[in-house]
């Protein structure tokens, strides 16, 4: 390979008309419009890299491929809420197959930042606040994608936990706490799934930009973890060619770096540095070798021979994720509705007669059949143009009427509370849809529902207390009307079959089984940073976020502080009941728990029993140690065994650069959520130093 050939592999260009000034001329015209392109080395049989977003389906940025649609999955949080790694694998494989059929061989999926702030506009793309759950779901999605010969990745390493001024955000964290939280999630996902690439984040971590962060990339990722794939930057995250010396292997969307920082760092400047001897030949080879290694390891070198797409099957998969990911938060018995009911049902708000909401930004998928509505939101900054409320064509009101043919379902848009309340008064039951759009590039200022929807729910529930609320949100929301309504269903952004899934849960055709992958605070004051970092500053203003909570993220923080959340991590109701019994613990290299789960109700359903550490060698420390999603018929019992990853019982010892389990008593609890334990036990563990 010549150096010119090496250089050509080290940066990607966006094959897009990204400034509306014309398509990038350096990319051949037959390359499909998408996020990124790297030419191959034809002489040596190295394929071009054709990259597309993302985890929730194959995107069509700026409609650059006119008319091209794809299966739009529910939000990442919905996938997290399924607690179903096998389903995540199927979803990853599905998106991989669609990417391949459209001519792509690299999927920019694997979004897995831990949810640290319930206002982060991108949480909907991610999985959860917990390292184990996040790693298992994201890891399986990557395995699925790579199983069809499409390269994939995990992103964004690390701590891109807020969107406000993300290019200027300095995330500060204790390095050991980082290893026990966000980095542990990445570590577990990487060792399980061997992703072809890892995408580094926009932000700084402890004063160094993530993509030029020597201790993160060379020290932890490639050093301690022995990662063999390549590190690609996020789009517009490379300020300088010297990031190559600090662990970055490939610059992404180089035009964006030129626009933001003045040059295409790994195009001209990197070659000049190499010519002057500032970039050693060995490092140049290493960068290229890592890319080639992954291409051959995943089998992406072979020409793809995609089978015809099973579009209907993919829609069914989107439906299944939506069904399993929906979380019934509250139910006083009003749900499920009787399918043969002749009731007058008022469906109010949320464009529930049009479709279901989706999140915006680089992950936004144009669904099969196209959007049913797209409403621009706008704002400031480079993401303002893509900040849109997209509605996918699966209208809950229409689907509910199909499942309840004898009911009289009427719709009011909820624009005026007085109109909505009037319809509510004339109805037997009210279902209010409350939506909160979220988008990459923006955070929400607080936990409220936008556009006066809190007041709408209040007015409607006052007019008719027989009210059910369906939330489509990418985050927890405050619920000032909580006690005035009879049931609350969190549907997240439920994907292109979402309306059907919502209707099925309401009408009892599906038994809800989703569990919260994030804590719903009772008040923002309970969270580590009641004030949004960077709130009220102009685009481009540097912001420092001190993650003083360290590894105590989400439910761990709530336990540490003794706060009672509105709804705990792991919470979710069912139309049946599960009892737990016979907890048995054993200790060896790690801790293993066995217990029996029985469906004591009258319906078949799925449960997610969860095992938590509650105390470690005398210190209160809450950690999800294991979980399993099991489907049981009425009266059926099953024995479940979960073994803890020993790192979840340990602290990271920075001096030793190893994990350390202190000798002592370890208490665990079996529970329905992080704050509803049913049984507890303890084991003694000996001192142990292990792993890295
Ligand atoms: C996002 C990435 C995405 C990339 C390419 C960036 O704005 O942060 O997640 O893969 O764009 O579209």
């Amino acid at each position: 390979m010549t150096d010119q050939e090496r250089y050509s592999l080290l940066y990607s260009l966006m094959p897009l008309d990204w400034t509306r000034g014309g398509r990038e001329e350096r990319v051949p015209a037959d390359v499909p419009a998408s996020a990124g392109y790297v030419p191959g080395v034809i002489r040596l049989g190295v394929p071009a890299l054709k990259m597309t977003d993302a985890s929730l389906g194959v995107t069509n940025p700026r409609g650059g491929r006119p008319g091209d649609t794809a299966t739009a999955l529910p939000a990442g949080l919905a996938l997290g809420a399924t607690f179903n790694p096998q389903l995540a694998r199927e979803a990853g494989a599905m998106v991989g197959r669609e990417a391949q059929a459209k001519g792509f061989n690299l999927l920019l999926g694997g979004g897995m930042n831990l949810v640290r702030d319930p206002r982060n506009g991108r949480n909907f793309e991610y999985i959860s606040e917990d390292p184990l759950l996040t790693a298992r779901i994201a890891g399986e999605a990557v395995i699925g994608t790579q199983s069809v010969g499409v390269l994939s990745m995990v992103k964004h390493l690390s701590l891109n936990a807020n969107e406000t001024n993300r290019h200027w955000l300095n995330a500060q964290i204790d390095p050991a706490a980082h290893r026990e939280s966000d980095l542990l999630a990445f570590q577990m996902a990487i060792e399980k799934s061997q992703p072809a690439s890892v995408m580094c984040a926009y932000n700084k971590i402890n004063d160094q930009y993530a993509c030029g962060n020597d201790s993160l990339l060379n020290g932890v990722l490639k050093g301690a973890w022995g990662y063999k794939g390549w590190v690609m930057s996020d789009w517009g995250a490379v300020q300088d060619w010297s990031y190559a010396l600090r662990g970055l292997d490939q610059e992404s969307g180089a035009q964006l770096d030129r626009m933001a920082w003045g040059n295409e760092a790994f195009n001209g400047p990197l070659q000049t540095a190499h010519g002057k001897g500032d970039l050693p030949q060995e490092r140049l080879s290493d960068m290229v070798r890592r890319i080639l290694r992954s291409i051959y390891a995943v089998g992406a070198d072979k020409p793809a021979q995609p089978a015809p797409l099973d579009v209907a099957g993919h829609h069914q998969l989107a439906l299944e994720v939506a069904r399993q990911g929906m979380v019934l938060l509250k139910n006083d018995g009003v749900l499920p509705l009787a399918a043969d009911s002749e009731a007058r049902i008022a469906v109010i708000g949320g464009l529930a007669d049009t479709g279901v909401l989706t999140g915006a930004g680089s992950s936004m998928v144009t669904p099969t059949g196209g959007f049913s509505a797209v409403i621009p939101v706008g704002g400031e900054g480079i993401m303002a143009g893509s900040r849109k409320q997209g509605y996918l064509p699966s209208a809950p009101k229409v689907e509910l009427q199909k499942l309840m043919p004898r009911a009289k379902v009427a719709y009011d848009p909820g624009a005026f509370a007085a109109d909505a309340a009037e319809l509510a008064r004339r109805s037997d039951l009210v279902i209010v849809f409350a939506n909160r759009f979220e988008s990459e590039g923006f955070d929400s200022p607080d936990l409220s529902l936008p556009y006066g929807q809190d007041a709408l729910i209040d007015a409607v529930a006052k007019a008719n207390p027989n009210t059910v609320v369906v939330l489509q949100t990418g985050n927890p929301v405050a619920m000032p009307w909580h006690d005035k309504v009879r049931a609350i269903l969190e549907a997240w952004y439920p994907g292109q079959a979402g309306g059907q899934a919502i209707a099925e849960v309401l009408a009892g055709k599906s038994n809800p089984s989703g569990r919260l992958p994030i804590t719903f605070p009772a008040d923002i004051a309970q969270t580590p940073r009641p004030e949004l970092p960077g709130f009220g500053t102009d685009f481009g203003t540097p912001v420092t976020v001190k993650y003083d909570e360290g590894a105590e993220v989400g439910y761990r923080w709530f336990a540490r502080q003794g706060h009672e959340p509105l709804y705990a991590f792991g919470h979710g109701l069912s139309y049946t009941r599960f009892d737990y019994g016979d907890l048995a613990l054993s200790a060896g290299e790690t801790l293993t728990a066995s217990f029996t789960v029985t469906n004591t109700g009258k319906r078949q359903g799925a449960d997610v029993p969860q095992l938590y550490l509650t105390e470690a060698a005398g210190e209160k420390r809450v950690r999800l140690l294991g979980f399993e999603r099991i489907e049981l018929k009425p009266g059926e019992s099953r024995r479940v065994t979960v073994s803890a990853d020993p790192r979840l019982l340990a602290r990271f010892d920075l001096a030793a650069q190893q994990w350390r389990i202190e000798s002592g008593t370890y208490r665990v609890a079996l529970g329905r959520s992080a704050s509803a334990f049913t049984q507890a036990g303890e084991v003694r563990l000996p001192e142990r130093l292990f792993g890295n």
Side-chain angles (χ1 to χ4, degrees):
M1 187 173 267
T2 66
D3 282 344
Q4 287 307 323
E5 288 165 339
R6 290 192 177 95
Y7 298 152
S8 72
L9 293 175
L10 300 183
Y11 64 97
S12 67
L13 294 169
M14 292 184 296
L16 276 181
D17 179 3
W18 62 287
T19 55
R20 302 279 187 223
R23 193 182 138 107
E24 171 61 52
E25 284 172 357
R26 289 173 288 174
V27 178
D30 61 349
V31 173
S34 73
Y37 169 78
V38 178
V41 183
I42 297 168
R43 185 178 74 84
L44 300 173
V46 177
L49 294 176
K50 296 179 185 167
M51 312 177 178
T52 177
D53 286 300
S55 315
L56 313 181
V58 179
T59 65
N60 184 354
R62 293 176 174 243
R65 306 189 307 277
D68 193 18
T69 64
T71 305
L73 287 168
L77 286 177
L79 197 58
T82 70
F83 279 67
N84 188 341
Q86 178 57 34
L87 194 61
R89 184 181 290 210
E90 288 167 31
M94 184 280 274
V95 184
R97 281 194 297 274
E98 293 201 358
Q100 201 166 52
K102 294 175 194 299
F104 300 107
N105 59 4
L106 197 161
L107 183 73
L108 305 166
M112 56 169 290
N113 291 86
L114 288 194
V115 172
R116 279 181 178 265
D117 188 322
R119 295 156 301 197
N120 177 22
R122 246 185 137 173
N123 284 344
F124 75 89
E125 286 186 54
Y126 304 143
I127 310 295
S128 86
E129 65 191 23
D130 178 71
L132 176 69
L133 176 61
T134 297
R136 288 195 60 193
I137 297 289
E140 291 296 331
V142 170
I143 291 173
T145 302
Q146 296 198 155
S147 74
V148 301
V150 170
L151 303 159
S152 194
M153 60 170 41
V154 288
K155 69 185 185 184
H156 315 81
L157 189 76
S158 163
L159 290 170
N160 188 174
N162 275 104
E163 287 294 291
T164 304
N165 283 318
R166 59 184 180 178
H167 292 88
W168 298 272
L169 189 155
N170 187 4
Q172 299 200 331
I173 192 165
D174 166 66
H178 196 193
R179 292 294 302 268
E180 293 167 22
S181 53
D182 300 61
L183 289 183
L184 181 56
F186 278 103
Q187 183 178 15
M188 293 196 291
I190 289 169
E191 62 199 18
K192 184 86 205 275
S193 66
Q194 302 295 328
S197 184
V198 171
M199 188 191 289
C200 47
Y202 282 125
N203 49 285
K204 295 178 182 174
I205 296 160
N206 294 335
D207 307 329
Q208 298 296 321
Y209 271 112
C211 292
N213 196 310
D214 185 63
S215 62
L216 177 70
L217 303 180
N218 286 332
V220 177
L221 176 66
K222 294 178 178 177
W225 301 348
Y227 178 64
K228 292 193 168 60
W230 88 95
V231 179
M232 73 164 70
S233 70
D234 202 342
W235 270 238
V238 187
Q239 285 78 2
D240 199 84
W241 76 266
S242 64
Y243 286 13
L245 300 175
R246 285 176 253 143
L248 181 66
D249 301 304
Q250 190 181 59
E251 175 186 23
S252 307
Q255 306 107 303
L256 267 185
D257 285 327
R258 175 155 41 86
M259 188 183 81
W261 315 109
N263 59 40
E264 296 181 0
F266 280 22
N267 186 3
L270 182 127
Q271 283 90 318
T272 309
H274 180 235
K276 289 202 294 202
D278 293 341
L279 175 72
Q281 186 70 22
E282 197 186 316
R283 173 65 186 127
L284 180 69
S285 290
D286 176 51
M287 295 163 82
V288 171
R289 191 182 311 113
R290 285 173 172 277
I291 298 169
L292 297 180
R293 184 220 73 97
S294 287
I295 293 175
Y296 294 101
V298 176
D301 56 310
K302 303 181 196 75
Q305 284 162 338
L309 287 181
D310 175 10
V311 178
H314 291 185
H315 182 80
Q316 282 303 311
L317 184 62
L319 175 62
E320 196 52 33
V321 176
R323 282 177 182 144
Q324 294 190 22
M326 231 159 258
V327 184
L328 183 60
L329 295 173
K330 169 178 175 170
N331 183 20
D332 73 354
V334 62
L335 297 179
L337 308 173
D340 60 356
S341 161
E342 294 184 1
R344 293 165 302 166
I345 299 178
V347 170
I348 292 173
L351 288 184
D353 64 336
T354 303
V356 285
L357 185 60
T358 183
S362 62
S363 68
M364 187 169 173
V365 179
T366 307
T368 312
F371 289 105
S372 50
V374 178
I375 305 163
V377 178
E380 295 294 333
I382 52 174
M383 296 302 292
S386 65
R387 190 189 194 191
K388 294 172 180 153
Q389 298 189 56
Y391 282 84
L392 311 180
S394 177
K397 185 233 165 194
V398 177
E399 298 296 334
L400 190 67
Q401 182 73 80
K402 276 190 211 161
L403 292 182
M404 300 182 67
R406 303 173 64 182
K408 288 169 217 58
V409 183
Y411 179 72
D412 180 275
F416 295 98
D419 282 343
E422 186 46 39
L423 176 64
R425 221 167 272 127
R426 289 182 279 117
S427 304
D428 302 310
L429 173 83
V430 186
I431 306 173
V432 193
F433 284 78
N435 297 352
R436 188 166 104 150
F437 66 89
E438 311 264 0
S439 170
E440 179 181 344
F442 301 89
D443 295 323
S444 302
D446 53 36
L447 297 178
S448 64
L449 290 167
Y451 301 129
Q453 293 174 99
D454 284 324
L456 174 71
I457 299 172
D458 220 61
V460 165
K462 204 179 227 167
N464 187 342
N466 204 22
T467 289
V468 173
V469 174
V470 178
L471 296 167
Q472 294 180 68
T473 72
N475 263 313
V477 288
M479 305 183 200
W481 33 263
H482 179 272
D483 295 347
K484 299 177 191 156
V485 303
R486 298 190 60 190
I488 305 168
L489 178 68
E490 175 57 83
W492 314 110
Y493 302 142
Q496 71 175 41
Q500 183 180 340
I502 291 170
E504 286 185 3
V505 169
L506 294 175
K509 196 175 169 200
S510 295
N511 191 352
S513 60
R515 301 290 183 263
L516 284 183
I518 49 177
T519 305
F520 274 42
D523 193 300
I524 195 72
Q526 294 179 322
T527 65
R529 279 164 295 283
E531 167 124 6
L532 179 73
F535 180 67
T537 57
D538 287 335
F539 183 71
T541 308
V543 48
T544 297
V545 188
K546 289 193 162 72
Y547 291 104
D548 291 337
E549 75 276 27
E552 306 311 301
V553 184
Y555 67 87
R556 300 174 171 187
W557 169 261
F558 276 70
R560 157 82 56 99
Q561 300 300 107
H563 291 323
E564 195 52 48
L566 181 59
Y567 289 110
F569 173 89
H571 167 77
L573 302 174
S574 165
Y575 295 148
T576 188
R577 235 199 96 73
F578 300 95
D579 281 350
Y580 304 157
D582 305 329
L583 175 65
L585 301 176
S586 63
E589 291 265 284
T590 183
L591 184 159
T592 300
S594 298
F595 49 89
T596 305
V597 182
T598 307
N599 182 345
T600 54
K602 294 195 172 58
R603 289 189 53 143
Q604 177 163 336
D607 187 31
V608 185
Q610 303 149 40
L611 184 76
Y612 291 89
L613 174 71
T614 57
E615 196 184 303
E619 182 203 351
K620 177 166 184 174
R621 198 193 301 163
V622 179
R623 301 280 185 269
L624 177 68
L625 296 179
F627 60 87
E628 187 145 325
R629 185 181 192 280
I630 47 170
E631 183 94 31
L632 294 173
K633 297 195 180 65
E636 192 183 353
S637 288
R638 187 148 340 134
R639 191 95 186 129
V640 175
T641 300
V642 292
S643 275
D645 185 305
R647 289 168 290 197
L648 293 166
L649 301 166
R651 283 276 187 216
F652 191 74
D653 183 330
L654 270 186
Q657 286 293 305
Q658 286 200 294
W659 296 87
R660 179 187 297 278
I661 293 181
E662 299 285 348
S663 72
T665 301
Y666 285 73
R667 289 186 204 280
V668 299
L670 183 61
R672 306 180 188 286
S673 79
S675 64
F677 299 142
T678 59
Q679 260 137 324
E682 60 182 54
V683 296
R684 280 199 66 81
L685 294 176
E687 163 100 17
R688 191 152 93 84
L689 204 61
F690 63 97
N692 43 22

